[in-house]
Amino acid sequence: MIKVLAIDDEPLALRQLVTYINKVPFLSLTGQCHSALEARQILEHDVVDAIFCDINMPDLSGMDFVRQLAAPPLIVFTTAYSEYAVEGYKVNAVDYLLKPFGMNDFLRAAMKVQEQHNLRHQNTPRQQSSPVQADGTIFVKTDYRVVRIAIADIRYVEGMSEYLKIHLAGQKPVITLLSMKKMEEYLPSTLFMRIHRSYIVNLRKIQEVNKNRVILDADTSLPVGDLYKDQFNEYLERNFLGK
């Protein structure tokens, strides 16, 4: 199943979009929201494969919202204005639906999403379902215990040979036997980014970037490795104001 998020500030348009999503067997509705700001909150806790997103919305447009995502899922834009089509493809949108659109048009876009989704995963070994729970938590084995951790509480993950140290807000770190690669796969890419061979950081916890160091607070700064510098700089360029 392809996990989908629907975004539209018009209640009737959102209702129609949700109806269409629920009619397609290979789509699963993860959430629906009336603004990009609300969608941000959902993405902090839920992993989605695709977003059907209106462009013209107050506060933050759909186009700007997608540009700000560190690793955007598959995107289908919906709008009543055809002039946005070119801009939509500039951000690698899978498709563009011009309002008002019917079920046939929606199904055509959904099949493109399915095709791109299959291409992304065709070289990935079949895995079990995501370890991320519906409430945005994961279970981690540490010593002889299994503890529940809220993803939003993770400040950063530190690699230590075969072990990981998960640094949490207001709690003691949790040490677990797991590879950085596996942890990187488990954590939602819209919220976390690997910035160094030994560090994965929660992007929402960054307070400052100074040269090649990410500062989380007065006592914590992490290096940005050369291999990860370009990806991290691209994220910054999409998200800071001004030039």
Side-chain angles (χ1 to χ4, degrees), residues 76-77 89 98 120 136 143 187 229:
V76 176
F77 284 119
Y89 288 116
L98 183 63
R120 284 188 176 188
D143 295 328
L187 294 174
K229 189 180 302 181

Side-chain angles (χ1 to χ4, degrees), residues 161-180:
S161 186
E162 297 178 350
Y163 291 84
L164 298 181
K165 180 184 283 190
I166 305 172
H167 296 262
L168 303 167
Q171 304 173 52
K172 292 182 178 180
V174 172
I175 297 177
T176 185
L177 179 62
L178 191 67
S179 70
M180 285 289 282

Side-chain angles (χ1 to χ4, degrees), residues 4-22:
V4 175
L5 178 63
I7 313 170
D8 200 306
D9 64 309
E10 300 176 4
L12 291 178
L14 181 60
R15 188 183 309 166
Q16 181 191 52
L17 189 57
V18 168
T19 298
Y20 288 164
I21 291 171
N22 288 331

